[in-house]
Amino acid sequence: MSKAQTITTPAVSGKLLATAAGFTGLMLLLAYLVAFDQGALSQSGMYLHELMHDGRHLLGVPCH
C-alpha cells in the first residue's frame, strides 16, 4: 500500500515576487528623483535636475 503524497505550491511564485520587488525599487527610485534629488545624481549637467524640477511643480511637491 502506498501513501499519497501532498504537493504544496507557494501562494506567490518567485518570479512574481522578483518582478514586484524590481518594480517597487524602480518606483522608489523615481519618487526619490522627483521629490528629493537636487541634481546630486545627475551626471549630464542640469537636464535631469530641470526635468525633475518640473515634475515637482506638476505634483505639487515643494522644492523652493
Side-chain angles (χ1 to χ4, degrees):
M1 197 174 237
S2 64
K3 294 182 179 181
Q5 292 181 339
T6 304
I7 299 174
T8 59
T9 58
V12 178
S13 69
K15 184 176 180 180
L16 179 62
L17 188 60
T19 302
F23 182 75
T24 301
L26 184 64
M27 291 298 107
L28 286 172
L29 177 64
L30 184 62
Y32 168 77
L33 287 173
V34 171
F36 301 111
D37 183 48
Q38 297 293 322
L41 295 181
S42 178
Q43 299 298 320
S44 62
M46 295 299 288
Y47 295 115
L48 180 63
H49 172 74
E50 291 300 324
L51 178 67
M52 295 304 157
H53 185 253
D54 293 342
R56 283 185 206 100
H57 285 292
L58 180 68
L59 294 174
V61 176
C63 59
H64 50 85

